[in-house]
Amino acid sequence: MMNTIESVDSSKNLSTRERILDAAEQLFAISGFAETSMRDITKHANVNLAAINYHFGSKDDLINEVFIRCLDPIHDVLQENMDNLIKEAAEPSKALKHIVELVVIRAFQTEQQRHNGAIFMRLLNRAYNESQGKLRSFLAERYKKTLIDCVRFFRLTLPQVQRAEVFWRIHFMLGSLAFAVAGEKEIGAIGTALYQDQHNEKALLRRLTNFLVAGLQAEA
Amino acid sequence: MMNTIESVDSSKNLSTRERILDAAEQLFAISGFAETSMRDITKHANVNLAAINYHFGSKDDLINEVFIRCLDPIHDVLQENMDNLIKEAAEPSKALKHIVELVVIRAFQTEQQRHNGAIFMRLLNRAYNESQGKLRSFLAERYKKTLIDCVRFFRLTLPQVQRAEVFWRIHFMLGSLAFAVAGEKEIGAIGTALYQDQHNEKALLRRLTNFLVAGLQAEA
DNA sequence: TGTACATCAGTGAACGCGCGTTCACTGATGTAC
DNA sequence: TGTACATCAGTGAACGCGCGTTCACTGATGTAC
């Protein structure tokens, strides 16, 4: 039961639909959309091969649903924390470091199932690297309201930076995060081989936070 | 002759082997490894379907060759500029901005064929997101000498930052660059829709440079 | 309460298609004697 | 210089396999009268 990829049905009695979404989310994040077959997903979810087409119509529609289910909760999380932040943000620069720390920790978090930051970062990167524009343009719509919240959120601690500038810096940050999450193991191993810097997640998170805070606060 | 993806044989009389590598490089960068078929590549390169297996053995070996051909010249470019930089780097912080500017411009450069930075950034990102570790571990070896040069290069202007720290910051930078290159159009379009900030490459390069210079110079 | 029909979740087996790879072959060039 | 053989780049057609999708079907539950 402690496999690297554990079966998603484990005793929780989820519906077929949700078991498919859980399995697809994991496998797409790990292996990509084209590299993950319907047979992989249904085997992993312990459902019939035809169930994906029955519940979602097609593989492409399943991919869209996976993203919808990932993005929608982020909106809520941001809204919750926004109110708290406004109250406690006495000193903006400290507050920014606090936020970035939370984002970085979240991005590397590999919880059991929902709110798995590492899976989300991998999916996000795959979405931006997808060949056809289909998924990208689908996401662009859905993504907007989340992004508006993000920019508003970060602007609370970066009032002197223009909105469009914050918007781009958030994307630069996402790029660093996604790349670091995807390459953590390999990059860490190379670092160890070259500089005897034994890889350690805490140090990585600290380094990322330093880099990102400085980048976000850059002067125009 | 001005197609979005132009045929690679155009009058240059390249060998079959090189025509295949050129076509594969472009198509892999645009669409990914799994999504690009041997038939796509050979059609694009204007060669026989069996020529890939004849010259490279298999599709996987072709992928490796594409990376070898991309990475090896970077080593040389760095070595060349290193000498110049040592001479002219009177003020380190200005020199860093100069370097980052060059890197950013290079990363977005879409030249006709060789030294195409945008293609390289896309390939790099795909390599880190590849499902099996095969390509990653193959690259890790080849990549090392290039990375050592990179770190030495950046340390010339960041002498106060530890080597392992510079090593990681370079990867954070690569992540931002790769994400920005891959998503330039979509992110730009969303930015325009949300903030009436009409997308313009010069502004993007300036923003990226600011963000990266600040991140690289972050205090520990 | 009983019967007839409708809806729905799920299934097993098959479909045709495109994939990477293989193989026997061709034709040009190089080498040995 | 001429003949026999070897090497090499390239080719056309086929191979088997795994893919996403479809379809007729089952069995359980809901609804109408």
Side-chain angles (χ1 to χ4, degrees):
Chain A
M1 268 307 184
M2 282 301 246
N3 297 334
T4 45
I5 304 169
E6 53 183 62
S7 215
V8 293
D9 57 340
S10 59
S11 79
K12 280 189 192 160
N13 246 44
L14 299 169
S15 70
T16 298
R17 214 187 124 87
E18 281 182 277
R19 291 222 302 283
I20 292 171
L21 283 168
D22 287 345
E25 191 179 287
Q26 281 187 54
L27 296 173
F28 285 153
I30 293 167
S31 305
F33 308 120
E35 293 88 344
T36 303
S37 72
M38 313 270 285
R39 284 162 182 82
D40 291 337
I41 298 166
T42 50
K43 213 173 290 172
H44 197 72
N46 222 354
V47 301
N48 186 275
L49 168 61
I52 290 178
N53 289 282
Y54 177 73
H55 283 285
F56 300 94
S58 71
K59 189 185 180 183
D60 278 350
D61 289 325
L62 170 61
I63 294 173
N64 289 351
E65 287 292 326
V66 166
F67 274 94
I68 290 174
R69 209 182 54 149
C70 274
L71 279 174
D72 286 0
I74 293 177
H75 183 76
D76 305 331
V77 172
L78 283 173
Q79 288 290 5
E80 276 171 40
N81 289 317
M82 189 111 57
D83 297 339
N84 295 336
L85 188 73
I86 293 168
K87 287 169 199 155
E88 69 182 54
E91 209 202 309
S93 69
K94 273 195 185 170
L96 178 64
K97 191 174 182 185
H98 183 62
I99 292 171
V100 173
E101 249 165 12
L102 289 178
V103 170
V104 170
I105 289 170
R106 194 63 169 248
F108 278 83
Q109 198 169 291
T110 53
E111 263 174 30
Q112 297 299 85
Q113 200 49 242
R114 309 292 24 258
H115 307 306
N116 186 317
I119 282 185
F120 176 66
M121 293 313 300
R122 286 186 151 90
L123 286 175
L124 190 69
N125 213 7
R126 294 201 185 280
Y128 271 99
N129 280 282
E130 208 236 359
S131 46
Q132 304 154 289
K134 288 170 51 186
L135 178 56
R136 277 203 295 250
S137 56
F138 166 82
L139 270 182
E141 256 327 295
R142 276 255 161 196
Y143 198 33
K144 266 181 199 163
K145 69 169 188 181
T146 310
L147 263 177
I148 292 173
D149 285 344
C150 266
V151 172
R152 280 180 58 215
F153 190 63
F154 274 87
R155 279 261 290 168
L156 292 173
T157 63
L158 292 166
Q160 78 285 9
V161 186
Q162 287 185 332
R163 284 185 306 170
E165 191 84 30
V166 171
F167 168 82
W168 275 104
R169 290 184 185 181
I170 286 171
H171 283 92
F172 302 155
M173 177 177 70
L174 289 177
S176 294
L177 284 172
F179 198 76
V181 168
E184 187 190 351
K185 272 193 190 171
E186 267 71 22
I187 301 170
I190 297 172
T192 305
L194 296 183
Y195 306 111
Q196 293 78 47
D197 168 69
Q198 73 251 35
H199 178 51
N200 138 6
E201 188 164 291
K202 263 197 182 155
L204 172 55
L205 300 195
R206 183 178 42 71
R207 281 170 171 158
L208 246 173
T209 305
N210 276 344
F211 179 87
L212 295 175
V213 168
L216 289 166
Q217 284 179 328
E219 286 183 28
Chain B
M1 269 302 182
M2 282 300 247
N3 297 334
T4 46
I5 304 168
E6 55 183 59
S7 216
V8 294
D9 57 342
S10 58
S11 78
K12 280 188 195 159
N13 246 43
L14 299 169
S15 71
T16 299
R17 213 186 124 88
E18 282 182 276
R19 291 222 301 282
I20 292 171
L21 282 169
D22 287 345
E25 190 178 288
Q26 281 187 54
L27 296 173
F28 286 153
I30 294 167
S31 304
F33 307 120
E35 293 88 343
T36 303
S37 73
M38 313 269 284
R39 284 162 181 82
D40 290 337
I41 298 166
T42 51
K43 212 173 292 171
H44 197 70
N46 223 355
V47 301
N48 186 275
L49 168 60
I52 289 177
N53 289 281
Y54 177 74
H55 284 284
F56 300 93
S58 69
K59 189 185 180 183
D60 278 350
D61 290 324
L62 169 61
I63 295 174
N64 289 351
E65 287 292 328
V66 166
F67 274 94
I68 289 174
R69 208 182 56 149
C70 272
L71 280 173
D72 287 0
I74 294 178
H75 183 78
D76 305 330
V77 172
L78 283 173
Q79 289 290 4
E80 276 172 39
N81 289 316
M82 190 111 57
D83 298 337
N84 295 337
L85 190 72
I86 293 169
K87 287 169 201 155
E88 69 181 53
E91 209 203 312
S93 69
K94 270 194 184 169
L96 178 65
K97 191 173 180 183
H98 184 62
I99 293 171
V100 174
E101 248 165 13
L102 289 179
V103 171
V104 170
I105 289 170
R106 194 63 171 250
F108 278 83
Q109 198 169 291
T110 53
E111 262 174 30
Q112 298 297 85
Q113 199 49 241
R114 313 288 28 254
H115 307 305
N116 186 317
I119 281 185
F120 176 66
M121 293 313 300
R122 286 185 151 91
L123 287 175
L124 190 69
N125 212 8
R126 293 199 186 280
Y128 272 100
N129 281 282
E130 207 234 359
S131 47
Q132 305 154 287
K134 288 169 50 186
L135 177 57
R136 276 203 297 249
S137 56
F138 164 83
L139 270 183
E141 255 330 293
R142 277 255 160 196
Y143 199 32
K144 266 181 198 164
K145 68 170 189 181
T146 310
L147 264 177
I148 291 174
D149 286 343
C150 265
V151 172
R152 280 180 58 216
F153 191 63
F154 274 90
R155 279 259 290 167
L156 292 174
T157 62
L158 291 167
Q160 76 287 8
V161 186
Q162 288 186 329
R163 284 186 306 170
E165 190 84 30
V166 171
F167 168 82
W168 275 104
R169 288 182 187 180
I170 286 172
H171 283 92
F172 303 153
M173 176 177 71
L174 289 177
S176 293
L177 283 172
F179 198 77
V181 168
E184 187 190 350
K185 271 192 191 173
E186 267 74 19
I187 301 171
I190 297 173
T192 305
L194 296 183
Y195 306 111
Q196 291 80 48
D197 167 70
Q198 73 253 35
H199 178 50
N200 140 6
E201 189 165 288
K202 263 199 184 155
L204 172 55
L205 301 195
R206 183 178 40 71
R207 282 171 170 157
L208 246 174
T209 305
N210 277 342
F211 179 87
L212 294 175
V213 168
L216 288 166
Q217 284 180 328
E219 287 184 27

